[in-house]
Amino acid sequence: MLTIDPKRSLLLVIDFQSRLMPAIHDGETAVRNARRLIEMAELADIPCIFTEQNAKGLGPTVTDLPVEKGRLIHKQFFDACRESGFLDHVPADRHVVVVGCESHVCVQQTVLGLLAASRKVYIVRDALGSRRPEDKETAIRRMERHGAEIVTSEMVVFEWLQTAEHPRFRDAIALVK
């Protein structure tokens, strides 16, 4: 299957942290689209995992993104896959949909780690951020070159829905308007 399978999906929300976000180019858009996917994941019963990089220095996840209790992983490694036990939260058969900051640091290194661990990865272009646009675009190209699929938040919403007969279709459509 070339589309994202909602039954096998997992949303990974990387490091949308309070002290980092003011420096992120077009960060409000990335946060808005990440929130859209968090809400859609809730509608479709898709699990979410959140990470925070060095929370003492970068602060907690921004308040616009509701972190599920028990689903937050604190990390020091830029590549979350290097944290002890992280991959235990990402079963091998999952379609991992990734949003986060910074695209060229923690997102890229985690995505490359997931790909090396044989996970199927989808990068949500409009829910990624970096301080400089060229870092974001270069990271997207590199991740794609190594096997990540590049998608948008609206693509993910409709692939998770699969059909206009989905019981939460109207709620989901409200998210993309």
Side-chain angles (χ1 to χ4, degrees), residues 148-161:
E149 295 280 338
I150 310 305
V151 296
T152 65
S153 57
E154 194 165 325
M155 291 167 72
V156 174
V157 167
F158 284 98
E159 289 181 34
W160 280 348
L161 282 173

Side-chain angles (χ1 to χ4, degrees), residues 2-34:
L2 295 178
T3 57
I4 304 168
D5 184 349
K7 291 181 178 78
R8 294 171 51 195
S9 288
L10 178 140
L11 179 62
L12 177 57
V13 182
I14 299 175
D15 305 350
F16 280 105
Q17 291 170 258
S18 60
R19 291 189 196 127
L20 175 63
M21 292 313 297
I24 299 300
H25 177 265
D26 203 17
E28 290 176 9
T29 299
V31 169
R32 182 175 59 249
N33 289 322

Side-chain angles (χ1 to χ4, degrees), residues 74-145:
H74 293 280
K75 63 186 185 68
Q76 292 296 320
F77 285 102
F78 302 126
D79 173 0
C81 297
R82 293 177 184 264
E83 292 293 336
S84 178
F86 176 80
L87 285 172
D88 296 340
H89 298 280
V90 186
D93 67 338
R94 291 293 174 177
H95 288 187
V96 185
V97 176
V98 179
V99 301
C101 291
E102 281 196 78
S103 306
H104 64 294
V105 184
C106 293
V107 172
Q108 177 185 265
Q109 289 189 36
T110 299
V111 165
L112 295 176
L114 288 166
L115 292 168
S118 301
R119 301 320 195 258
K120 179 71 177 162
V121 180
Y122 297 85
I123 304 302
V124 185
R125 172 186 289 276
D126 60 346
L128 296 177
S130 286
R131 286 169 286 136
R132 296 186 315 229
E134 61 269 20
D135 287 329
K136 175 180 171 180
E137 290 309 313
T138 302
I140 289 170
R141 286 195 311 272
R142 184 174 180 197
M143 291 182 282
E144 182 178 37
R145 197 169 51 249

